[in-house]
Amino acid sequence: HLQFNNKRLNANTLEPVSPLNVFMSRMRSDIPEKSESFMFPQDKVVPVGSNMTFCCIVKEKDDFKEMMYGRQEMSATRLSRRTYAITVTNQPASGNTGTNVICCSQRLTLTGAVVFVGYPPGDEGLVCETRDLASAECSWKKGRDTRLRMKRSRTKYTLNGRDCLEANERKTWWCSSKVWEESWTLVARNPLGTVQLTDSAQLTDRVHLLAPVNVTAVEVEAWSATLQWSWSVASYKKLEMVCQLQLFAHELSSTRNYSGPGLSSVVLESLRPDVDYTVTLRCGSKHSFWKWGNESAPFRIHTKMDRPDALDVWMWMDSSNTGRVFWKPLSVRKSHGALVGYEVSQSSAEEDGRTPVSLPPGNFSYPIILNNSSDITVAVAARNPAGLSHVTLHALSVISFPVDSQLSVSELLGTNGSFVLSWQPNVNASSGYAVEWVPTGCSGLCPVDWKKVPESDCSFTFLLISDSLVAGVRYTVSVYSLSTGALTLLQRWQGYSQEMIPSQSVSKLSPIQTGSDVLLSWKATAMEHQRGFIRGYTVYLANAAHLDLIANISDPEVQSYRVKGLSPSFYKFVVKAYTSAGEDAGSTVDIKIEMDTADMLFVGILVPLGIMFCCLILISICCYKKREWVKKAFYPEIPGPKVPGDWSSPQGPLDVKPSPHSLVHIVENPERDFTKEGLFLVPEEEEESENDNIEVDTDSDEPALLRYYNQVVGDGSHSNQVSDSSGSSTASVGSTQTEITYAGIQSPTSSQGACGGGGYRPQMQSVAGPAEPQIEFEADFQDDGLNTGYKPQCSWQLDSPEAENFSGSLGSPTSVTSSQFLIPESSEEKPQPSNTWFHNFLSGKS
Amino acid sequence: MEGAADSGRAAALARLLHRDCTRLLQLYKERESFLSQHAPGGERLVTLALCPEALSTGEQVGHVRSALRRCMGLLECLIVREVEEMGEELEGEYESLRKTVRDRLGHLLHSTGALLEEGEGGCPPSPPLQCTEGQDEVDGSDSFAAKRWTYRVLLELIHWTDSASQTLHLFHSEKHGQQQQQLL
């Protein structure tokens, strides 16, 4: 029923301004009689984008400089002596007071003109309607701005041929008519064009009601109110109308529609007690609805209070005869007014009478003590100024299922901060079920929470989501079946809505060393610190910067671990308990592994001994393999003395004639009679006595005696005294296989030696070949020729700590390269220090 | 003491009005671009041929007041003409200050009139101004002529409010001196 027709007439009635015509008509002004400056055309109204020529006639004797269009300097053309012209193309829209075109000299503005550049009318969308069921109001949209502000160039409006005063004088875009006409024509005209708009409709189709007035509420109750209003137009009373009420309460809004002839009152149902409502009202014609009328001013309604709703009550027993009755606070929606308190009464089968207790509104629990009664009934009610709520009776049979009930408790896994519970329906659950959850191990005033679940035949899968569930807290969740006067515990779980890592590490972590093993033992942390089910333990060996996992114990009941095969060192062990959320920070224990006595004995004594033994074996094998070399190196073959004659004869003194090739240089004394005195064996006893008199012998005039000692190493018989000189010489001289050597051969005098000034020296290096000793010997003498006289063997005395006893070794075999007696007679009683022997042995000192 | 205070307030009001008129002309130049480069020529709109040359300061105040009355008439004609042409829909700073100047000029005329009634002589009142006077000087009542006329009216306002400020200051100084002498 929206029918209207708009017609727009696009008329450009402006004739183009011909510059030629203008000039022809105005050039006649350039006459001496009209000497003042002037410009034409003046105050022209032209459309945007048009071209235009302006002509300036300058005053006599005035100098012309330029012409300007707005702020733009233009190139002027001189048409005559006093006449100049510019042509402006594609003119933009003017400002509020038009565009100034001036003609100026060097200093002054000589003359000018104003041109108004704009658009023809752009109005559209004419719509006519009635507000009082008699007159008409027609409105339209302004459309594009014409940019023509001057009064004479503004758009003029006529409606059905009559001037539209509202639009022409008050610059609005509506016109009124005292009578309704079924067709309307609006003409909009300005100097640049004309627009014609039309509309046609029945009056009943264009009813636009005014706003209801005097809105008020009567009979405001807790749940309803009656709203009344009036109309400023009497003819509305017979109009079939529909009204719409909008209720705003607590940022919520609702819309209700009412209808009726001349509607002026409605009853608002389903309101809530003690609530502030804000009501707005608007109406429209029910038949041929055109649009909603104007909205009334907001009106405020405050409903009365009513008794609170019944409380949600629960009872929780923390022991066999003590417990608490809990109730949930009523929301504003259910309290129906500010609560002033609660009333709790308790009765048992033996005592029918109730003793109500009043509690302030901040209390939500009350202790219950059973006095030899198996069943009690607790009634809790809330009170507000309107009265007491419906009493909630809670019959208590849960005495059989206190929190420490032995009912099997299964583990419940939380999911994203909630629990998913499933249980089988119970035939006795006539009133549904109740799910209760409370922190495990809590005693006293515990944060008990519960939720009632309606009855159902099928198995339940209940998603428990509550703000009271705290992550990392173990809850005991119980499901009860509700029946009249009794509760039955169906199932009980323990679980965490969200597991976290333990807040404390394991306790009492201690190491016990057993040999090279360490037994780590610990205790689990308290339940309130576990914050999740302990799934096991991990044992780490702490190194400098990281932990090496050495064991992962997945059984939380196992709280010890043996670390085997540790070598003596310092160890740091870390034991961590872990939940599904991760490991705790861990407990650390240090231990220093020490070797036991047997091991220390083995390592400290037996091992070095074994090594030494092995070395000796190796040396022995090596020496055996290289025995030839060892013999040459340490025990070279001593050439035997070449004795002419028959040495087999035992009679007579041994005539020793030194061989020129003998290593032994024998100084002969021609005056000595070998039959009397010669080389003879000296008993050791005598040698010892004579040994002390060596110097004496040196100084004597007796011919030098070569004292010859021999001794067979390892043959004790040969070391004995031999009275038979032949036997003695045979054993000493003729042997090259024995380890016999000369030692201690000393010359009694140095001055009488055949070797000149050099004193006698021991054989330093006897390892040379048989032909060489003579040369070597002489060389030594030559070297020693620098020295004078006999020099005692200092090294002997220095190296031998028992030099005073060396005389006792005389006659013992000695090394060729050493003046030290290899096997002193008293070696068993007084062993020489090995280092000294070895040092001399290596250095070759005599 | 009261006369000196009145003359002081009148002098202060004249100074304030002079600043307003200067600002009003600045706004008009911003609106009409041609005034920013070359000022249009023309004769003075307000002359005081009816009043002989004032001798005393009080007579000079009356002289200036007569000129301000003439300016007031021109300003009212200006407002009527602009409102007629443009309507009252334009409410920019120029239109707002234009109204302020008219109101303050009225207050100044009232203040100076009160000063003159206290014993100082004044020029005879000028004949009422006809808004068509001086507007068709050159070539009729076209829009450009109206803009030039408006410019000249604003120049007259600046000139005579400045004269009024100086004269009233001098008048106030004399009044103050006389009262000081009377007190001594």
Side-chain angles (χ1 to χ4, degrees):
Chain A
H1 40 253
L2 172 61
Q3 294 178 354
F4 61 91
N5 296 320
N6 291 335
K7 290 185 179 179
R8 173 176 173 173
L9 297 179
N10 292 321
N12 188 355
T13 59
L14 182 70
E15 294 181 358
V17 178
S18 170
L20 181 60
N21 295 336
V22 173
F23 292 157
M24 292 303 291
S25 62
R26 289 288 185 172
M27 281 293 285
R28 291 190 293 270
S29 299
D30 186 7
I31 54 177
E33 287 76 14
K34 199 166 185 177
S35 61
E36 296 297 326
S37 299
F38 63 96
M39 180 179 286
F40 60 88
Q42 289 283 339
D43 295 338
K44 278 291 184 184
V45 181
V46 296
V48 174
S50 63
N51 303 331
M52 198 166 177
T53 298
F54 296 92
C55 185
C56 172
I57 300 176
V58 184
K59 185 180 178 182
E60 288 284 356
K61 299 180 181 178
D62 271 356
D63 56 335
F64 172 84
K65 181 191 175 188
E66 62 184 355
M67 293 180 69
M68 297 186 67
Y69 182 85
R71 297 180 183 275
Q72 183 180 4
E73 294 181 5
M74 304 297 293
S75 175
T77 302
R78 187 169 188 173
L79 301 180
S80 67
R81 182 177 61 88
R82 297 167 51 199
T83 306
Y84 300 86
I86 59 171
T87 300
V88 182
T89 59
N90 193 19
Q91 295 181 95
S94 300
N96 290 335
T97 59
T99 303
N100 299 312
V101 185
I102 60 171
C103 180
C104 50
S105 65
Q106 291 291 341
R107 295 180 295 106
L108 296 174
T109 298
L110 302 175
T111 185
V114 180
V115 60
F116 301 93
V117 186
Y119 297 97
D123 303 86
E124 59 185 2
L126 176 68
V127 174
C128 296
E129 60 188 15
T130 181
R131 309 301 303 267
D132 56 1
L133 306 180
S135 64
E137 286 185 4
C138 297
S139 59
W140 63 94
K141 295 179 182 178
K142 178 187 174 185
R144 184 176 59 186
D145 186 4
T146 63
R147 308 296 294 269
L148 301 176
R149 300 281 189 273
M150 303 299 285
K151 191 172 184 178
R152 58 177 176 269
S153 57
R154 288 190 202 126
T155 304
K156 303 294 187 298
Y157 297 94
T158 59
L159 180 64
N160 283 358
R162 297 183 293 272
D163 284 343
C164 181
L165 299 179
E166 293 87 353
N168 295 335
E169 300 297 331
R170 290 181 281 182
K171 299 183 181 58
T172 58
W173 287 270
W174 63 274
C175 284
S176 63
S177 175
K178 291 184 179 178
V179 293
W180 181 264
E181 299 177 40
E182 293 188 354
S183 64
W184 305 92
T185 300
L186 177 76
V187 176
R189 178 181 289 116
N190 75 359
L192 299 180
T194 301
V195 169
Q196 181 172 316
L197 308 175
T198 61
D199 184 29
S200 61
Q202 296 291 328
L203 182 143
T204 54
D205 296 339
R206 298 292 178 87
V207 177
H208 185 197
L209 296 179
L210 297 172
V213 295
N214 301 326
V215 179
T216 183
V218 294
E219 299 177 12
V220 177
E221 303 294 338
W223 301 90
S224 65
T226 301
L227 199 66
Q228 286 185 347
W229 62 92
S230 59
W231 296 104
S232 57
V233 178
S235 56
Y236 285 1
K237 293 181 180 178
K238 296 180 180 178
L239 179 69
E240 192 73 23
M241 62 177 63
V242 57
C243 292
Q244 187 177 70
L245 276 79
Q246 279 200 310
L247 289 168
F248 299 91
H250 302 299
E251 301 178 352
L252 298 175
S253 66
S254 61
T255 302
R256 303 179 184 190
N257 290 335
Y258 303 87
S259 61
L263 207 59
S264 60
S265 70
V266 294
V267 177
L268 301 175
E269 302 284 353
S270 303
L271 300 180
R272 304 206 65 83
D274 194 32
V275 174
D276 251 332
Y277 290 97
T278 300
V279 184
T280 59
L281 175 68
R282 61 181 182 177
C283 299
S285 173
K286 186 175 182 180
H287 303 295
S288 302
F289 182 83
W290 166 239
K291 62 170 66 171
W292 285 113
N294 296 105
E295 197 170 72
S296 68
F299 182 77
R300 178 175 168 272
I301 299 174
H302 189 91
T303 53
K304 294 180 178 178
M305 293 185 183
D306 196 8
R307 291 167 43 175
D309 282 354
L311 292 169
D312 187 0
V313 179
W314 186 250
M315 195 173 296
W316 183 70
M317 302 301 294
D318 55 358
S319 68
S320 59
N321 60 351
T322 61
R324 293 190 79 86
V325 58
F326 292 88
W327 57 91
K328 291 188 177 179
L330 288 176
S331 63
V332 175
R333 187 180 179 85
K334 293 182 177 179
S335 61
H336 304 160
L339 297 180
V340 296
Y342 298 97
E343 289 189 4
V344 182
S345 60
Q346 175 180 343
S347 64
S348 61
E350 293 79 9
E351 300 175 359
D352 293 335
R354 295 178 179 178
T355 306
V357 177
S358 296
L359 298 173
N363 287 25
F364 302 105
S365 67
Y366 188 74
I368 297 296
I369 300 175
L370 305 181
N371 296 323
N372 301 321
S373 177
S374 58
D375 287 333
I376 64 169
T377 302
V378 178
V380 185
R383 177 181 291 279
N384 70 0
L388 200 63
S389 70
H390 297 289
V391 174
T392 302
L393 297 176
H394 199 282
L396 186 64
S397 304
V398 293
I399 303 169
S400 305
F401 311 102
V403 70
D404 54 354
S405 171
Q406 296 302 314
L407 186 72
S408 62
V409 177
S410 55
E411 188 175 296
L412 182 63
L413 297 178
T415 305
N416 298 326
S418 61
F419 290 119
V420 178
L421 309 175
S422 296
W423 66 88
Q424 292 297 322
N426 188 280
V427 292
N428 297 325
S430 59
S431 301
Y433 302 89
V435 178
E436 172 204 79
W437 62 96
V438 61
T440 304
C442 180
S443 61
L445 192 59
C446 295
V448 180
D449 205 349
W450 69 95
K451 192 173 185 67
K452 304 280 180 62
V453 183
E455 181 189 6
S456 177
D457 294 334
C458 58
S459 63
F460 278 94
T461 298
F462 177 67
L463 180 62
L464 176 57
I465 301 175
S466 173
D467 294 336
S468 63
L469 291 175
V470 180
V473 174
R474 183 182 294 187
Y475 286 94
T476 299
V477 184
S478 308
V479 172
Y480 300 90
S481 65
L482 302 178
S483 59
T484 305
L487 296 177
T488 304
L489 177 62
L490 297 181
Q491 199 163 350
R492 179 164 284 172
W493 302 269
Q494 285 188 354
Y496 295 85
S497 62
Q498 183 178 357
E499 292 199 20
M500 302 174 71
I501 62 172
S503 60
Q504 286 189 0
S505 307
V506 298
S507 59
K508 298 180 180 177
L509 175 62
S510 61
I512 300 174
Q513 180 184 356
T514 306
S516 61
D517 298 348
V518 172
L519 177 64
L520 299 172
S521 61
W522 59 86
K523 297 292 183 184
T525 185
M527 190 184 67
E528 61 267 25
H529 301 304
Q530 292 181 3
R531 304 201 299 178
F533 291 113
I534 300 297
R535 303 299 181 187
Y537 302 93
T538 50
V539 182
Y540 295 93
L541 176 61
N543 285 325
H546 62 279
L547 299 176
D548 291 333
L549 178 66
I550 58 177
N552 185 355
I553 304 168
S554 58
D555 184 2
E557 300 300 326
V558 176
Q559 296 177 348
S560 64
Y561 181 73
R562 180 180 296 278
V563 185
K564 298 179 179 178
L566 296 175
S567 57
S569 181
F570 182 81
Y571 293 95
K572 179 184 286 186
F573 296 100
V574 179
V575 177
K576 297 182 178 181
Y578 60 89
T579 66
S580 62
E583 296 177 333
D584 62 18
S587 294
T588 304
V589 66
D590 302 334
I591 186 172
K592 183 178 181 181
I593 303 297
E594 294 180 347
M595 186 180 296
D596 58 6
T597 307
D599 292 341
M600 290 181 65
L601 185 64
F602 175 79
V603 174
I605 298 175
L606 296 183
V607 171
L609 283 176
I611 293 173
M612 288 179 62
F613 181 75
C614 292
C615 290
L616 287 175
I617 295 296
L618 289 175
I619 291 171
S620 300
I621 293 173
C622 190
C623 290
Y624 178 76
K625 293 288 186 182
K626 300 293 183 181
R627 57 185 178 278
E628 294 296 330
W629 178 83
V630 171
K631 178 184 176 185
K632 290 179 182 179
F634 295 100
Y635 302 101
E637 185 178 358
I638 301 172
K642 293 181 179 179
V643 180
D646 186 8
W647 284 76
S648 61
S649 178
Q651 288 81 13
L654 180 62
D655 185 13
V656 179
K657 185 174 286 184
S659 173
H661 303 286
S662 175
L663 292 174
V664 179
H665 219 81
I666 301 174
V667 180
E668 294 182 359
N669 189 351
E671 297 177 2
R672 177 168 291 277
D673 189 359
F674 283 97
T675 59
K676 296 179 180 178
E677 298 179 37
L679 183 62
F680 60 94
L681 295 174
V682 179
E684 289 185 4
E685 291 79 1
E686 294 177 7
E687 186 175 345
E688 289 178 3
S689 62
E690 289 181 5
N691 201 18
D692 297 332
N693 301 321
I694 289 175
E695 293 182 358
V696 176
D697 294 339
T698 303
D699 297 335
S700 67
D701 293 333
E702 293 291 327
L705 294 177
L706 175 62
R707 295 184 179 180
Y708 181 75
Y709 304 93
N710 58 7
Q711 187 172 2
V712 178
V713 176
D715 189 357
S717 62
H718 292 282
S719 62
N720 295 332
Q721 293 182 2
V722 180
S723 58
D724 193 351
S725 61
S726 61
S728 176
S729 63
T730 303
S732 62
V733 175
S735 177
T736 58
Q737 300 298 324
T738 59
E739 296 178 10
I740 299 174
T741 185
Y742 294 97
I745 300 175
Q746 300 177 2
S747 174
T749 60
S750 58
S751 58
Q752 296 177 4
C755 297
Y760 177 75
R761 287 300 188 98
Q763 300 172 12
M764 298 300 289
Q765 296 291 338
S766 59
V767 294
E772 296 176 2
Q774 182 65 33
I775 301 171
E776 184 79 14
F777 200 60
E778 292 177 358
D780 288 341
F781 276 134
Q782 290 172 0
D783 293 338
D784 293 337
L786 298 174
N787 303 323
T788 57
Y790 171 76
K791 290 183 179 180
Q793 300 174 14
C794 297
S795 60
W796 170 272
Q797 295 176 356
L798 290 172
D799 294 339
S800 175
E802 299 179 1
E804 65 274 10
N805 296 326
F806 79 94
S807 59
S809 299
L810 289 176
S812 172
T814 58
S815 173
V816 177
T817 58
S818 174
S819 61
Q820 197 169 3
F821 297 101
L822 296 177
I823 307 175
E825 289 185 350
S826 58
S827 60
E828 292 183 359
E829 292 79 13
K830 297 178 180 178
Q832 294 292 329
S834 60
N835 59 343
T836 304
W837 178 88
F838 189 67
H839 177 73
N840 295 334
F841 176 77
L842 293 178
S843 61
K845 286 182 180 180
S846 57
Chain B
M1 288 298 289
E2 187 176 352
D6 292 341
S7 62
R9 280 194 293 270
L13 182 58
R15 283 196 300 273
L16 181 61
L17 187 57
H18 175 67
R19 285 199 293 271
D20 289 343
C21 293
T22 305
R23 174 61 182 160
L24 189 62
L25 178 62
Q26 182 182 354
L27 292 174
Y28 190 70
K29 283 183 175 180
E30 291 174 2
R31 196 176 79 175
E32 305 297 339
S33 59
F34 72 97
L35 297 171
S36 60
Q37 293 182 347
H38 303 292
E43 297 177 355
R44 296 289 302 275
L45 293 178
V46 179
T47 56
L48 295 175
L50 296 175
C51 189
E53 185 177 355
L55 298 177
S56 65
T57 306
E59 291 171 342
Q60 288 182 22
V61 171
H63 184 89
V64 170
R65 183 171 182 275
S66 297
L68 291 177
R69 287 184 60 193
R70 178 80 175 177
C71 290
M72 183 65 171
L74 291 171
L75 180 60
E76 287 180 341
C77 290
L78 183 151
I79 293 173
V80 168
R81 179 165 183 163
E82 287 187 342
V83 169
E84 184 181 354
E85 286 293 321
M86 306 297 299
E88 294 184 352
E89 61 186 20
L90 295 178
E91 288 295 335
E93 186 183 359
Y94 170 80
E95 287 77 14
S96 174
L97 187 58
R98 184 182 64 189
K99 181 175 180 300
T100 301
V101 167
R102 184 185 65 181
D103 295 341
R104 286 178 176 167
L105 184 56
H107 285 300
L108 183 59
L109 288 172
H110 179 76
S111 300
T112 52
L115 291 176
L116 294 175
E117 288 175 358
E118 291 177 358
E120 301 294 343
C123 294
S126 301
L129 178 69
Q130 299 298 320
C131 286
T132 55
E133 287 185 28
Q135 295 184 21
D136 301 328
E137 298 167 340
V138 183
D139 54 354
S141 58
D142 55 65
S143 296
F144 189 77
K147 290 180 179 180
R148 289 182 61 169
W149 179 79
T150 301
Y151 174 70
R152 291 166 66 186
V153 170
L154 296 178
L155 285 179
E156 293 295 340
L157 278 170
I158 291 172
H159 172 77
W160 287 111
T161 53
D162 185 39
S163 296
S165 173
Q166 295 177 14
T167 305
L168 287 172
H169 178 71
L170 183 61
F171 183 74
H172 170 67
S173 299
E174 289 182 356
K175 281 281 185 182
H176 187 68
Q178 289 173 2
Q179 289 183 353
Q180 291 294 329
Q181 287 179 354
Q182 289 175 1
L183 289 175
L184 292 174

